[in-house]
């Protein structure tokens, strides 16, 4: 047997290539999610038709970023496996939840045992959807 053609060597090489492609997709997804969260913009549009003109900001920003790198272009959207494109709303919500957890841990670390105030306000908009605003007030260690 030739060592380079052994099944375990070929599978390991194939797994490393797929792992690299997945990490490239995940990295660019995190960049887009971070940007949209930082600016406070929605990820998806409200048009749920089969071929909407506006596919949402997440897809549009992802399309713009993928034009900057051939590696990203070759591993995202239609060039990625159909079940691993990282564009599902469940995956995006999971990424947002990870960011929320990190922000919560940073705030918790900074507040420590100090006093804080939490203000929650909820109202319905014109379409009868509930909108909630949450405000956390605390004095950070730099102000002392």
């Amino acid at each position: 047997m030739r060592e380079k053609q052994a099944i375990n060597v070929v599978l390991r090489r194939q797994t490393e290539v797929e792992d690299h492609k997945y990490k490239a997709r995940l990295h660019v997804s995190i960049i887009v999610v971070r940007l949209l969260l930082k600016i406070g913009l929605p990820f998806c549009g409200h048009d749920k038709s089969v071929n909407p003109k506006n596919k949402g900001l997440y897809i549009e920003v992802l399309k713009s970023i993928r034009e900057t790198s051939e590696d990203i272009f070759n591993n995202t959207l239609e060039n990625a496996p159909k079940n691993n494109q990282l564009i599902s709303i469940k995956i995006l919500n999971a990424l947002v939840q990870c960011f929320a957890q990190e922000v919560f841990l940073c705030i918790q670390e900074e507040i420590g045992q100090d006093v804080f105030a939490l203000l929650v306000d909820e109202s319905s908009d014109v379409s009868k959807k509930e909108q909630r605003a949450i405000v956390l007030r605390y004095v950070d260690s730099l102000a002392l």
Side-chain angles (χ1 to χ4, degrees):
M1 263 183 116
R2 287 183 248 168
E3 193 173 311
K4 290 184 180 180
Q5 292 180 342
I7 291 175
N8 61 345
V9 174
V10 172
L11 282 176
R12 188 178 318 117
R13 191 174 318 126
Q14 198 172 30
T15 304
E16 289 171 356
V17 169
E18 291 302 316
D19 190 44
H20 170 74
K21 289 179 181 180
Y22 175 75
K23 285 180 181 177
R25 280 191 298 278
L26 184 61
H27 181 71
V28 74
S29 294
I30 289 172
I31 290 171
V32 175
V33 168
R34 182 185 303 147
L35 173 70
L36 293 176
L37 286 174
K38 192 173 190 177
I39 312 173
L41 294 173
F43 287 52
C44 303
H46 64 279
D47 187 1
K48 302 297 181 194
S49 62
V50 178
N51 290 316
K53 290 181 181 177
N54 180 6
K55 297 187 181 202
L57 286 174
Y58 178 80
I59 299 291
E60 296 302 326
V61 173
L62 184 60
K63 283 181 179 178
S64 297
I65 289 177
R66 70 192 296 240
E67 299 298 325
T68 63
S69 168
E70 187 177 338
D71 187 39
I72 294 172
F73 184 85
N74 292 334
N75 293 310
T76 54
L77 295 178
E78 70 275 354
N79 295 330
K82 296 290 182 208
N83 63 348
N84 197 358
Q85 292 183 347
L86 300 180
I87 58 173
S88 162
I89 194 66
K90 288 182 179 181
I91 292 173
L92 295 178
N93 284 339
L95 288 173
V96 169
Q97 189 64 32
C98 290
F99 277 101
Q101 186 68 26
E102 285 298 315
V103 169
F104 176 76
L105 290 174
C106 288
I107 291 172
Q108 187 179 29
E109 183 180 302
E110 187 159 334
I111 292 175
Q113 299 297 320
D114 290 340
V115 178
F116 65 92
L118 184 64
L119 173 67
V120 180
D121 184 30
E122 187 173 299
S123 62
S124 58
D125 62 7
V126 177
S127 65
K128 305 284 192 246
K129 286 193 175 188
E130 294 293 325
Q131 302 291 322
R132 183 177 299 143
I134 300 172
V135 178
L136 175 66
R137 296 182 69 190
Y138 65 95
V139 178
D140 63 1
S141 58
L142 298 175
L144 295 177

